[in-house]
Structures are given as structure tokens and as C-alpha cells.
């Protein structure tokens, strides 16, 4: 007979390890880029080609934070994707290495967002 394992269904008490957090953020950033990034990109493209007739997608005050968020989402998704490609070829699969690469992804995406966002805006 199998032993009954405890089940914790309260999502507020579950503590993921850092690689798990990076994995969830990778999925969330991909969804954000697909669901929000594509409409914003198409809106900006439309406004660039028809500046006199295009109406903005968002009020002016909300556009800048959204662009910062999309910049972070792109850079995090890119950095985490490289990490996952390395994991696919069995590079960095040990616990300590996985944690270090997770920290590196979070730091790199944050720093690159600040550098690129500061340069663009």
C-alpha cells in the first residue's frame, strides 16, 4: 500500500527554489510578450507609418511603464532561454550551478533592462 503524501494546495505557502521562479518568470514573460507585446508593437508600427491618423493604444502616462515592462520581459525571456538551452545540453544541471545561473539570469535581465531602457528613453 502506498503511503499518503501530504498535499499542500495553498499556493501562498508554497516556496519554490530560485530556478523554479526563473522558469515561471520565463513562461510569464513569454506570455506577456505574446499577448501584450505584439499589440503594442503593431500600434507603434501603425503610428510610425500614419502619424497623423493613428490614435495611441494607451494614455501617455501608461505607455512608458509598459515599454519598460516589455523591455524587461524580452530581455528576461532571452537570458532565461539561453539558460534553458544550456540545461538542454546538460550544462549547469547540478543544484549549485542551477542556482547560480538563475541568479545570473535575474541580474543580467535587470541590468540589461536598466542599460537598454536608459539608452532608449
Amino acid at each position: 500500500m502506498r503511503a499518503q503524501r501530504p498535499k499542500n494546495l495553498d499556493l501562498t505557502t508554497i516556496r519554490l527554489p530560485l530556478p523554479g521562479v526563473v522558469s515561471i518568470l520565463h513562461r510569464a514573460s513569454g506570455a506577456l510578450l505574446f499577448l501584450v507585446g505584439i499589440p503594442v508593437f503593431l500600434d507603434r508600427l501603425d503610428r510610425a507609418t500614419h502619424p497623423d491618423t493613428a490614435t495611441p493604444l494607451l494614455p501617455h502616462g501608461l505607455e512608458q511603464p509598459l515599454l519598460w515592462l516589455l523591455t524587461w520581459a524580452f530581455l528576461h525571456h532571452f537570458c532565461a532561454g539561453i539558460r534553458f538551452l544550456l540545461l538542454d545540453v546538460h550544462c549547469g544541471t547540478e543544484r549549485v550551478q542551477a542556482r547560480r545561473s538563475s541568479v545570473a539570469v535575474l541580474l543580467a535581465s535587470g541590468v540589461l533592462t536598466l542599460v537598454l531602457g536608459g539608452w532608449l528613453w
Side-chain angles (χ1 to χ4, degrees), residues 20-120:
V21 172
V22 169
S23 177
I24 288 175
L25 286 175
H26 179 72
R27 293 167 192 241
S29 64
L32 182 70
L33 288 170
F34 182 75
L35 296 173
V36 179
I38 290 174
V40 168
F41 173 74
L42 292 175
D43 173 65
R44 302 288 271 187
L45 186 63
D46 184 47
R47 289 194 323 182
T49 56
H50 304 98
D52 51 343
T53 60
T55 59
L57 186 65
L58 295 171
H60 183 66
L62 295 177
E63 193 169 284
Q64 191 79 9
L66 180 65
L67 292 176
W68 277 94
L69 179 66
L70 288 173
T71 302
W72 170 83
F74 174 75
L75 292 169
H76 177 80
H77 198 75
F78 180 76
C79 293
I82 291 173
R83 177 182 178 267
F84 289 126
L85 284 174
L86 290 173
L87 288 173
D88 285 343
V89 294
H90 305 290
C91 181
T93 56
E94 298 297 322
R95 180 180 286 179
V96 174
Q97 295 170 337
R99 186 166 179 80
R100 284 183 184 157
S101 66
S102 298
V103 170
V105 164
L106 292 174
L107 288 175
S109 63
V111 169
L112 287 172
T113 299
L114 292 175
V115 169
L116 184 64
W119 180 66
L120 288 174

